[in-house]
Amino acid sequence: MSGMTDMRGGTWVRSFHRWVSIVFTLAVVANFAAMAIGTDAPPQWVTYAPLLPLALLLFTGLCLFVQPYVRRWRGDRGIARVRKG
């Protein structure tokens, strides 16, 4: 069984968010490196490469931000119940 099949809903979003942030960082570093090395503007695909990971980071970041509020709204205490019990 792979690690992705037994993950709960928020865990895979968090893991995906981490990996996409690495891809985004590498795309930004490549963009700056292309600007520093080249005498003229880098190719457009290098310039626009960080936009897709950035959009994914926005979506997953909003999901991670909203999760505690949704859990509280549903009445699921999660970790707080374990600490009190």
Side-chain angles (χ1 to χ4, degrees), residues 17 20 23-24 28 48-61:
H17 187 81
V20 172
V23 171
F24 173 72
V28 170
Y48 295 124
L51 292 181
L52 177 62
L54 183 62
L56 292 172
L57 283 173
L58 174 67
F59 177 71
T60 56

Side-chain angles (χ1 to χ4, degrees), residues 43-78:
Q44 284 191 347
W45 68 270
V46 174
T47 305
Y48 295 124
L51 292 181
L52 177 62
L54 183 62
L56 292 172
L57 283 173
L58 174 67
F59 177 71
T60 56
L62 288 173
C63 288
L64 290 171
F65 177 77
V66 169
Q67 273 183 347
Y69 301 106
V70 170
R71 285 185 185 149
R72 192 175 305 147
W73 179 67
R74 287 184 184 171
D76 182 23
R77 293 278 180 177

Side-chain angles (χ1 to χ4, degrees), residues 5-59:
T5 57
D6 59 353
M7 288 186 175
R8 295 183 63 185
T11 309
W12 76 267
V13 173
R14 189 174 295 113
S15 178
F16 183 75
H17 187 81
R18 286 183 190 142
W19 283 105
V20 172
S21 69
I22 292 170
V23 171
F24 173 72
T25 303
L26 291 175
V28 170
V29 167
N31 192 356
F32 278 103
M35 285 184 195
I37 292 172
T39 56
D40 51 348
Q44 284 191 347
W45 68 270
V46 174
T47 305
Y48 295 124
L51 292 181
L52 177 62
L54 183 62
L56 292 172
L57 283 173
L58 174 67
F59 177 71

